[in-house]
Amino acid sequence: MNIGLIFYWRLDTLTGGYIYDRMLVERLRQHGHRVEIVSLPRQHYTRHLLHNVSPELLSKLVSADFDLLLQDELNHPSLFRMNHRLRKMSDIPIVAIVHQVLCRQPRAGLLNSLYEIVERSYLNSVDAFIYNSSTTCQTVEHLIHGRRPSIVAFPAGDRLGCLASPAQVASRARTPGALRLMFVGNVLPNKGLLPLIQSLSKLSFETWHLTVVGSLQMDCRYLRKVEKLIVAKNMKQQIALVGPKEGAELASLLEQSHVFVMPYSHEGFGMAHLEAMGFALPVIGSSSGAVKEFVIPEQNGFLIDPGDVKATRACLKRLDHDRQLLIKMSHAALQTFHEQPRWNDTMAAVPVSYTHLRAHETRAFIAYAVFCL
């Protein structure tokens, strides 16, 4: 098959969605499919809208003669009209890979209403969906008022490996000193670092230390707010903004930590959360989004309601004062990781055959043209 994949910027970007797309591309190529990357520039949302009237992009998609066109759904502002133009010139089946529904993320004002108009139009322009979670699937189906051919292919957490020995859990938890907290996410408003810092500022500084892993360059204004708050709360010794880390370096940081904390981030799945569980870290995540699909409160972590800064502090106090509870929840987190599919399992379910039907039949019987788990 000749497959196209559209996304913004670069495939080696260190976020869960890009990692998922990269794993999918690798699997397809391993099975002999030709995958051509169509990379669009990452700009402001309103500038992305102009891509819909680009004759160059339309010509490129038509002339490529793809058997199947995959689109990362976060590219919806660039494609919500382009897909309709493409329909008039090509019979190519279009499949959206949905990691996160932008208009359903928590934000103030009318912005979500404007996003919803564009995003719903895009979602109605494609033939089928690949979802990263059941939560994402339900969100889209509610938004488009119905179902479309689709699959749910859960991300995996074994990219970084896992804790070498469960015996490390007890010794790590019982080592005297502060709780070592891990936050893995680019420093962006939707990841909720500011409210986390506000919550931590009310705890005794001797009881915790936070390491923040993720890009510091995606939103300079938000980064300045974070840095200003850290200085204002006199927490420069408590919080380390270490920038992006990957591979063995990230695995080492996780292995040395006690708890994974991202309680104010609305996740389409939460790949970083699951990867942290591989190193036996209980997760303090958000009750909003898909993390609740594998984080079980009081067993392998806690779920915090949006805006509840007191609950995060209460959970951390419990784990700091009761290290036996920390050990129990750490083992439960590791068990959850081992119960989840691996990347090979998830991507092995991608079929490698394609039946050459007429265009309208391909869209009607999308299982022949898309990934059928």
Side-chain angles (χ1 to χ4, degrees), residues 19-184:
I19 292 168
Y20 187 103
D21 291 351
R22 189 163 67 245
M23 293 291 189
L24 183 55
V25 168
E26 290 176 1
R27 180 70 186 184
L28 290 170
R29 286 174 173 167
Q30 286 172 4
H31 283 272
H33 299 294
R34 179 176 178 268
V35 182
E36 180 178 338
I37 303 300
V38 180
S39 177
L40 301 179
R42 189 173 64 187
Q43 300 168 317
H44 189 273
Y45 191 92
T46 53
R47 297 198 66 181
H48 286 155
L49 299 176
L50 297 176
H51 294 155
N52 289 278
V53 295
S54 167
E56 293 82 8
L57 178 57
L58 179 61
S59 176
K60 182 174 184 177
L61 295 178
V62 172
S63 62
D65 194 27
F66 295 126
D67 298 307
L68 182 69
L69 183 59
L70 301 176
Q71 299 176 343
D72 190 307
E73 194 273 344
L74 289 178
N75 288 242
H76 70 264
S78 298
L79 300 168
F80 80 105
R81 294 305 302 168
M82 176 61 67
N83 283 349
H84 294 288
R85 297 176 65 198
L86 186 59
R87 282 272 180 261
K88 298 176 181 179
M89 303 178 66
S90 171
D91 292 322
I92 179 176
I94 301 174
V95 181
I97 307 170
V98 191
H99 304 294
Q100 180 86 268
V101 179
L102 184 66
C103 69
R104 289 298 181 259
Q105 292 183 11
R107 59 174 56 84
L110 297 175
L111 199 54
N112 266 352
S113 297
L114 298 175
Y115 286 158
E116 182 175 327
I117 294 171
V118 177
E119 196 160 14
R120 180 184 283 117
S121 178
Y122 168 80
L123 293 169
N124 280 312
S125 75
V126 305
D127 298 306
F129 299 102
I130 300 172
Y131 298 116
N132 66 342
S133 70
S134 299
T135 299
T136 301
C137 175
Q138 293 165 9
T139 301
V140 170
E141 289 178 352
H142 183 266
L143 191 59
I144 64 175
H145 307 297
R147 293 186 175 183
R148 210 64 69 78
S150 65
I151 58 166
V152 177
F154 298 100
D158 61 321
R159 181 178 61 97
L160 302 172
C162 61
L163 197 68
S165 170
Q168 295 175 249
V169 172
S171 60
R172 183 177 68 187
R174 292 189 176 117
T175 300
L179 280 179
R180 296 186 294 276
L181 313 178
M182 274 288 289
F183 177 107
V184 181

Side-chain angles (χ1 to χ4, degrees), residues 302-313:
F302 300 97
L303 295 175
I304 307 299
D305 292 334
D308 190 346
V309 295
K310 291 183 179 180
T312 299
R313 290 198 295 270

Side-chain angles (χ1 to χ4, degrees), residues 274-350:
L274 186 56
E275 289 179 343
M277 285 181 152
F279 293 87
L281 303 191
V283 167
I284 300 181
S286 175
S287 63
S288 171
V291 173
K292 60 181 176 290
E293 293 188 27
F294 56 91
V295 174
I296 304 172
E298 305 288 339
Q299 293 187 31
N300 58 14
F302 300 97
L303 295 175
I304 307 299
D305 292 334
D308 190 346
V309 295
K310 291 183 179 180
T312 299
R313 290 198 295 270
C315 293
L316 290 172
K317 284 181 179 179
R318 283 184 64 187
L319 294 175
D320 181 45
H321 294 158
D322 188 348
R323 294 300 175 105
Q324 192 59 41
L325 175 63
L326 174 59
I327 293 171
K328 179 181 177 181
M329 296 184 78
S330 296
H331 281 296
L334 185 59
Q335 180 64 32
T336 297
F337 165 81
H338 285 303
E339 291 171 352
Q340 299 300 306
R342 302 296 185 258
W343 278 114
N344 283 341
D345 301 326
T346 296
M347 295 303 163
V350 176

